[in-house]
Amino acid sequence: MARPAKALISKSALRHNFKVAQQLAPNSNNVAIIKANAYGHGAVVVAQILEQDVQAFGVACIEEALELRVAGINKPILLLEGFFSQEEVAIADKMNFWTMVENQQQLDWILTAQCSNSLKVWLKVDTGMHRLGVQPAEVESFYQQLHSSNNVDKAIVLTTHFASADESDSPSTKKQINLFTDIKQSLKASLNLGEDIVTSMANSAGILAWPQAHCDWNRPGFMLYGNSPLDRNTSNGDMLKPVMTLLSEIISLREVKSGEQVGYGGNWTAKRDSKIATVAIGYGDGYPRIAKNGTPTLVNGSVAPLAGRVSMDMITIDVTDIFDVKIGDEVTLWGNSLPVNEVAEHASTIGYEALTRMPLRTKRIIVD
């Protein structure tokens, strides 16, 4: 009998969430972001499920892109952080990887490379995130050099990234959108290209909450996996369906008296005579160690709060008020009926981190 900790990955939910992204921005193409092992869901599996629907995939680095090619994924793959060495330019040329350019070194590597094909380049502009991207005053020079190079496809994508789009009424996001729009218009006028400039602004939050940020290309990531990045509930976010349901089972039950302590350090004390269930899951399976007492789990459809410190392979939960609990009962850690964002909040983190920290030990099972 296999250890019961597992993550169910729903194909239908994944496809549904991608359709939501399409429906909210019907005039946009989409780069499905599957970096960090598709936010813990399994990059190859997610790519296989979505490949027939998406226009391209996005990853953080060339190692992630190569993993997809080895697995037979043929769609274009965007390197979101660009190249880390000039040798990677030749690999991208051969493998049909698209690349971000955000600094002078990356630009020089592309311009001096010996390419057999024209590279698809995304030029990132720093409009306020202050992490990656060329400065607004440098955009024209970078764009012109790329556009003039035989190594570069003429349809360069001008792009930026939002710092606070998850805040539903963020003034900084409005400023970023306005600045980006001004940069595009100025660039178009100064270069007199004769064609429109291809653009991309919206990440998941931009797709869900900022329709004015919908461009030629959008970049859905977190929302693909059924979770809203927004700071409040919205009708758009409510359309999403969790792709991962993290499950395990009760492996032991015991009665503890009022005043007795449970788990490492005894940081949970029974305030009444209680029934404690031990569940086969812990931080070695991706469940956050710093989840606090009271973090919800679900047993037989009822909330069973965490009672005691999370250990490597097990947690203990309070099932005193749940009728007819027995060994072998299924426990939902997050997923359907229990959003990962809610669990993450109890662990002083965000759903992004909870999902991307899922280790390989926790088996993924593809369903529906």
Side-chain angles (χ1 to χ4, degrees):
M1 181 66 177
R3 190 165 181 271
K6 57 184 177 289
L8 305 185
I9 306 297
S10 169
K11 293 189 291 185
S12 63
L14 182 63
R15 292 188 177 118
H16 166 84
N17 297 331
F18 180 73
K19 288 179 181 177
V20 170
Q22 290 179 307
Q23 291 165 2
L24 292 175
N27 298 318
S28 301
N29 292 312
N30 289 283
V31 177
I33 305 303
I34 57 173
K35 61 182 179 177
N37 199 28
Y39 294 56
H41 292 68
V44 170
V45 166
V46 168
Q48 289 169 338
I49 294 169
L50 289 180
E51 187 170 23
Q52 63 183 349
D53 300 313
V54 305
Q55 288 77 41
F57 293 106
V59 298
C61 57
I62 207 161
E63 290 86 355
E64 291 181 336
L66 288 169
E67 178 189 16
L68 297 175
R69 284 287 182 263
V70 169
I73 302 301
N74 294 314
K75 283 288 174 72
I77 303 171
L78 172 63
L79 307 176
L80 292 165
E81 296 176 28
F83 300 129
F84 296 100
S85 70
Q86 187 157 25
E87 290 73 21
E88 292 184 357
V89 180
I91 299 172
D93 179 35
K94 179 180 179 182
M95 294 289 187
N96 188 26
F97 296 156
W98 299 354
T99 188
M100 200 72 70
V101 168
E102 70 87 24
N103 62 49
Q104 185 67 48
Q105 185 176 62
Q106 291 175 340
L107 175 64
D108 292 342
W109 285 340
I110 289 176
L111 297 181
T112 59
Q114 300 294 319
C115 294
S116 301
N117 306 289
S118 297
L119 292 170
K120 181 75 170 181
V121 171
W122 290 47
L123 177 59
K124 175 165 277 191
V125 186
D126 183 2
T127 58
M129 179 75 166
H130 300 324
R131 188 179 64 177
L132 295 177
V134 302
Q135 295 306 304
E138 300 175 302
V139 172
E140 183 176 336
S141 173
F142 270 70
Y143 193 99
Q144 195 163 29
Q145 290 180 76
L146 289 166
H147 196 268
S148 300
S149 173
N150 291 330
N151 286 342
V152 178
D153 187 290
K154 302 304 179 188
I156 299 162
V157 181
L158 191 69
T159 185
T160 195
H161 192 62
F162 293 135
S164 304
D166 55 321
E167 299 171 9
S168 304
D169 194 32
S170 164
S172 67
T173 302
K174 295 175 184 177
K175 290 179 181 178
Q176 284 191 264
I177 292 171
N178 291 337
L179 176 58
F180 186 81
T181 303
D182 290 345
I183 290 169
K184 174 193 171 181
Q185 296 304 328
S186 176
L187 182 62
K188 185 178 178 182
S190 64
L191 295 182
N192 193 25
L193 295 174
E195 72 265 6
D196 203 4
I197 295 172
V198 183
T199 55
S200 175
M201 280 194 278
N203 53 4
S204 290
I207 294 169
L208 291 167
W210 299 90
Q212 63 271 49
H214 299 172
C215 295
D216 301 292
W217 288 93
N218 293 334
R219 308 185 306 276
F222 192 51
M223 69 175 293
L224 290 179
Y225 309 102
N227 309 289
S228 173
L230 303 179
D231 59 355
R232 60 183 176 85
N233 292 333
T234 65
S235 57
N236 288 344
D238 289 345
M239 290 192 289
L240 302 173
K241 298 179 179 179
V243 174
M244 178 189 293
T245 300
L246 183 62
L247 300 172
S248 192
E249 294 178 5
I250 293 172
I251 59 172
S252 186
L253 287 165
R254 69 204 57 252
E255 306 285 343
V256 299
K257 297 295 184 182
S258 178
E260 291 187 323
Q261 297 177 326
V262 174
Y264 284 123
N267 77 334
W268 185 87
T269 302
K271 296 180 179 179
R272 56 177 176 167
D273 292 350
S274 303
K275 180 179 287 187
I276 298 298
T278 302
V279 183
I281 200 156
Y283 60 79
D285 306 290
Y287 194 79
R289 182 183 181 276
I290 59 172
K292 300 178 180 67
N293 288 326
T295 300
T297 72
L298 295 178
V299 178
N300 300 335
S302 297
V303 173
L306 190 68
R309 188 173 295 165
V310 176
S311 56
M312 184 182 293
D313 310 305
M314 289 171 281
I315 61 172
T316 43
I317 57 177
D318 184 356
V319 294
T320 308
D321 296 324
I322 301 177
F323 177 72
D324 196 28
V325 175
K326 60 187 180 300
I327 290 175
D329 279 354
E330 187 174 81
V331 181
T332 300
L333 290 312
W334 62 63
N336 290 322
S337 303
L338 183 56
V340 68
N341 286 341
E342 181 179 345
V343 176
E345 186 174 351
H346 284 269
S348 301
T349 185
I350 56 176
Y352 292 78
E353 183 181 24
L355 292 174
T356 56
R357 282 189 148 194
M358 291 296 296
L360 295 178
R361 181 169 93 165
T362 305
K363 54 185 175 290
R364 278 72 162 173
I365 299 173
I366 311 304
V367 298
D368 58 42

